Amino acid sequence: EKALGAMKESLKHLQRSNALNKEHKVQALEQRMEILSQFINAMRIKESDPQQMVNICLHLVDLSYVETAIRSGDVFAQLIEYYYKTNNMPEAYSTLERMKEKNIVVNPYLDQEMVDNIYSAMGVKVQNEEQDIGEEIGEEIQEDYQLS
């Protein structure tokens, strides 16, 4: 919410300025403010109207420009945590995999124990990101060695 307040203040100053491309800058800032406002609203209503929170978050993760205002990992984390708390492991797993497909590192956003529990509930072998990186490096080394 502090960030949104700072953006509103910036918008006031930008609107009074003589900046080059002022209209474009105002539009971009307003777009960022709208994204942030939606995310703040989703966090406010997650207890009172969880389905609406889910709808907002699903909308946000589909926006190609969401990263201009917030980290999409934060949005994915809210969805996964909600699905986990409501014991909807298929949705938690699906959303977790979607997060990984977007090359978002999971561990800054989600507790590893939660991730392990989601995989376990789905009968999927738990593999943390460090193992993935190690295997990729090993495969690259093996490929390089075979090419020599």
Side-chain angles (χ1 to χ4, degrees):
E1 290 186 39
K2 288 181 183 180
L4 186 57
M7 286 179 166
K8 287 178 181 178
E9 192 64 29
S10 295
L11 182 61
K12 286 182 200 175
H13 292 288
L14 182 59
Q15 289 173 329
R16 286 187 247 148
S17 77
N18 293 324
L20 292 174
N21 298 321
K22 177 179 164 180
E23 294 80 21
H24 175 72
K25 291 176 182 179
V26 166
Q27 182 182 9
L29 185 55
E30 287 175 338
Q31 184 179 55
R32 290 173 58 203
M33 289 170 57
E34 177 59 27
I35 292 168
L36 185 55
S37 180
Q38 287 180 37
F39 186 65
I40 290 169
N41 184 46
M43 296 307 90
R44 281 187 188 146
I45 64 170
K46 70 180 176 183
E47 299 298 326
S48 62
D49 191 354
Q51 188 54 53
Q52 182 61 17
M53 181 273 299
V54 167
N55 292 340
I56 292 169
C57 288
L58 288 172
H59 167 72
L60 290 173
V61 296
D62 286 337
L63 293 177
S64 61
Y65 50 87
V66 71
E67 291 281 340
T68 63
I70 58 175
R71 298 178 305 181
S72 56
D74 288 322
V75 183
F76 275 109
Q78 289 301 315
L79 287 167
I80 294 166
E81 287 172 5
Y82 169 73
Y83 294 137
Y84 181 79
K85 287 178 183 173
T86 59
N87 207 31
N88 187 345
M89 295 305 179
E91 281 299 324
Y93 175 75
S94 172
T95 307
L96 181 59
E97 290 302 301
R98 186 171 170 207
M99 183 179 184
K100 287 183 169 188
E101 287 170 9
K102 289 190 172 227
N103 295 317
I104 300 170
V105 178
V106 174
N107 64 4
Y109 301 101
L110 296 170
D111 177 63
Q112 187 61 45
E113 184 178 344
M114 178 191 307
V115 173
D116 293 348
N117 289 340
I118 292 168
Y119 282 131
S120 178
M122 296 304 296
V124 176
K125 181 181 176 236
V126 175
Q127 184 163 23
N128 64 35
E129 292 166 342
E130 290 167 1
Q131 286 174 317
D132 290 343
I133 292 168
E135 287 177 9
E136 287 176 19
I137 291 171
E139 289 170 3
E140 288 176 14
I141 290 171
Q142 189 175 21
E143 287 174 8
D144 290 345
Y145 182 73
Q146 289 174 351
L147 294 175
S148 302

